[in-house]
Amino acid sequence: MTVSLEQLRRCHVGVDLGAARTRVYVKGAGLVVDEPSVAAVNTRTGALIAVGSFAERMTGRTPDYIRVVRPVSGGTVVDIEMAQRMLRHLLGEKLRRALRRKPRLRAAACTPHDADPLAQRAAVETLVGLGARRVELVDTLIAAAVGCGLPVEQPTATMIMVCGAAATQVAVLSLGSIVTAERVPIGGEAIDHAVVQHLRHAHELMLPSQAVRPLQLALHGNGITDEGPASTLIHGRDVATGLARSVHVDTAAVRDAIHTPLTAVLDIIGKVLRDCPPDLVADLTDRGIMMVGGSALLPGLDQMLRDATGMPVAIAERPDVCAVLGLGAMMEGKIAPMVLNPLAE
């Protein structure tokens, strides 16, 4: 863990700045913000027009002078000023006023595993710009494990897989720390992109950029399992003529297109297990893998992992908010560190 539990108990607010969604947990109030990490800006005046869900609905539907931006990419803040403005509007004036009353406001933030110093500094500066006097950084893997109820403080192995929009992280935890972990830049966005590219090359069809996720359009029912529907009707724009067109898409071909980026995820699971001590791998035979993150809800992904690894695979009860709920649990003091009794001489 990047920071001690005692330091986290002094924090007043926890922030999970994700590539897809921004979530804020306020001590004593719970989860107060869960909105897309999107902002719409008027390029002529520099004014912020919309943030969150409303800004996301504007994607691909704006005139030239309105630009829809994502200040967070791959779990890293790439535009600090825009991230601060987005957070201010998402929090609202009433909540910001309440936080300003804290004489020494402390904040905690989730950071991806092995985040470089620049990424960590960007997260710290984003929250310092909102009035935080001190910012504690917590590894997303540990926060998510705590949020989904895994006994991370025990001397037993727990394996967690954080399926984000821009990256997938896999780790084995024991005694409150990461034993071995890997991160691959393959997430929900890469899977959606694979579906879009397949439909463009195989059917010369361009899908809308938003409104409904291309993945949910192409795969309903049983998802990427073989029991899904044989074909699906897709509406989009013809690449050559630019006219609206509907085609029946073979979902078996779409499943193959999705499996291509997912092979990289299977590779890092194997690498984590190879780097893990044998005693901990033996524990994982019964405990299996816990999946968290928004992309963990991809239909059929859990069954694909079971078939590939032969281990039990479970999805957390609320996989999309596990990381920020874990931050909140540590700030509220709900997680007690394991106390080691020294041997009497």
Side-chain angles (χ1 to χ4, degrees):
M1 186 178 296
T2 313
V3 63
S4 70
L5 287 173
E6 186 61 34
Q7 290 172 311
L8 283 174
R9 288 195 190 99
R10 300 173 186 168
C11 293
H12 306 97
V13 59
V15 180
D16 179 16
L17 280 169
R21 299 184 75 86
T22 294
R23 301 176 176 93
V24 179
Y25 186 102
V26 175
K27 193 173 185 178
L31 185 63
V32 296
V33 173
D34 185 2
E35 293 282 341
S37 304
V38 187
V41 184
N42 187 327
T43 56
R44 294 175 182 172
T45 63
L48 200 61
I49 297 174
V51 295
S53 301
F54 187 50
E56 188 177 47
R57 291 200 299 271
M58 294 168 65
T59 305
R61 304 171 187 268
T62 59
D64 292 340
Y65 66 92
I66 295 179
R67 188 165 56 98
V68 178
V69 297
R70 292 182 176 270
V72 185
S73 176
T76 302
V77 178
V78 293
D79 189 338
I80 296 175
E81 181 185 356
M82 187 57 64
Q84 291 173 349
R85 296 175 67 185
M86 180 185 72
L87 270 175
R88 286 193 194 101
H89 283 76
L90 288 177
L91 287 172
E93 182 61 33
K94 183 178 179 181
L95 187 54
R96 291 207 313 273
R97 196 181 304 120
L99 292 176
R100 279 199 297 266
R101 294 195 189 104
K102 307 287 185 184
R104 289 190 61 82
L105 180 64
R106 287 174 174 247
C110 291
T111 56
H113 177 67
D114 282 347
D116 58 77
L118 285 177
Q120 295 180 4
R121 184 181 178 87
V124 170
E125 288 190 4
T126 299
L127 297 183
V128 167
L130 293 178
R133 298 294 185 90
R134 184 181 175 92
V135 179
E136 311 290 358
L137 300 180
V138 180
D139 198 302
T140 301
L141 291 164
I142 294 179
V146 171
C148 63
L150 291 178
V152 293
E153 73 279 1
Q154 298 299 320
T156 55
T158 54
M159 190 170 190
I160 187 164
M161 178 175 173
V162 180
C163 308
T168 299
Q169 305 173 69
V170 180
V172 174
L173 311 177
S174 180
L175 288 173
S177 298
I178 296 174
V179 178
T180 177
E182 290 291 334
R183 181 169 176 257
V184 63
I186 299 293
E189 293 175 355
I191 296 172
D192 285 352
H193 182 69
V195 175
V196 170
Q197 290 299 107
H198 167 74
L199 295 178
R200 179 164 187 162
H201 294 152
H203 301 278
E204 297 184 348
L205 191 74
M206 291 183 66
L207 291 184
S209 61
Q210 49 105 34
V212 181
R213 287 186 62 190
L215 188 60
Q216 302 302 330
L217 279 170
L219 297 174
H220 53 75
N222 293 318
I224 60 175
T225 58
D226 294 334
E227 292 79 15
S231 64
T232 305
L233 183 65
I234 302 293
H235 308 284
R237 190 183 76 183
D238 189 278
V239 173
T241 65
L243 301 176
R245 185 161 65 93
S246 301
V247 296
H248 283 278
V249 177
D250 180 17
T251 50
V254 176
R255 282 196 295 271
D256 292 339
I258 287 176
H259 278 286
T260 302
L262 289 180
T263 52
V265 176
L266 297 178
D267 289 343
I268 65 166
I269 292 177
K271 188 175 188 307
V272 167
L273 291 175
R274 287 193 299 271
D275 295 342
C276 192
D279 292 343
L280 294 181
V281 175
D283 292 344
L284 296 174
T285 306
D286 298 326
R287 291 169 126 16
I289 306 171
M290 177 64 76
M291 294 175 61
V292 301
S295 300
L297 298 172
L298 173 63
L301 178 57
D302 54 340
Q303 186 58 47
M304 175 184 170
L305 293 179
R306 287 190 198 100
D307 297 339
T309 62
M311 295 194 303
V313 178
I315 301 176
E317 186 176 350
R318 298 178 65 188
D320 50 339
V321 294
C322 279
V324 73
L325 290 182
L327 264 185
M330 289 185 280
M331 290 192 303
E332 302 276 8
K334 296 178 181 178
I335 306 300
M338 187 179 68
V339 178
L340 299 177
N341 296 322
L343 297 176
E345 294 183 358

